Amino acid sequence: MTTPVIPVLREMRWWDIDSVLELERDLFPEDAWSRGMFWSELAHSRGPEATRRFVVAEEGERLVGYAGLASAGELADVQTIAVARDHWGTGLGSVLLTELLRAATAFECAEVMLECRIDNIRAQKLYERFGFEAIGFRRGYYQPGNVDALVMRLTTAPDSGSAAVSTSERGTEING
């Protein structure tokens, strides 16, 4: 019996873009990000003036997930979270989101926003477990399919001083 390999998180780098795009196209065929979009985000993720945090999850040599966050002042925005289909339900989405919330705290953000496809109930449940609340819609946000986005927000807990709310009281299982 072989021991399962646990995915390891690390900073996304330019040489990950091909693997990220492969996963991106599989998971989001209608509205996948382009190579240029990832390059642009990574250009803002390093150095003292960094405003982005992008990570990948590797299992051995295989990329099985990735996530990204952008910050501007006291506001952070979850840009993307993706988990390979064969890793749905393993808790990897929670691990990736936890890392983004840590980054939001490091960027000293008071709020974290995100858009989620209105038909992606699995992702919405994940965000709700972390304390995100639905605050509105963006009609036709995802193109070319003209799919609406649910806008969600996580506000810093007044006594914590951080956007990274403890996940100990929330489950980490993703129902896929």
Side-chain angles (χ1 to χ4, degrees), residues 83-155:
V83 173
R85 293 176 194 278
D86 62 336
H87 282 67
W88 288 2
T90 66
L92 181 55
S94 292
V95 170
L96 290 164
L97 183 55
T98 297
E99 177 58 28
L100 295 185
L101 294 178
R102 280 190 195 112
T105 298
F107 287 131
E108 300 180 354
C109 296
E111 289 186 329
V112 180
M113 305 284 292
L114 61 83
E115 292 87 17
C116 180
R117 284 177 66 104
I118 197 71
D119 57 359
N120 191 344
I121 303 303
R122 186 175 47 84
Q124 291 171 34
K125 287 181 180 181
L126 168 68
Y127 301 136
E128 288 169 357
R129 282 197 307 269
F130 276 76
F132 282 85
E133 296 177 339
I135 61 167
F137 297 91
R138 293 198 176 162
R139 303 283 176 213
Y141 183 78
Y142 293 98
Q143 294 297 329
N146 203 35
V147 177
D148 295 344
L150 178 65
V151 180
M152 302 182 83
R153 175 178 62 202
L154 175 65
T155 303

Side-chain angles (χ1 to χ4, degrees), residues 5 7 23 37 39 66 96 133 143 149 151:
V5 177
L23 192 53
M37 292 169 77
W39 270 105
Y66 58 90
L96 290 164
E133 296 177 339
Q143 294 297 329
V151 180

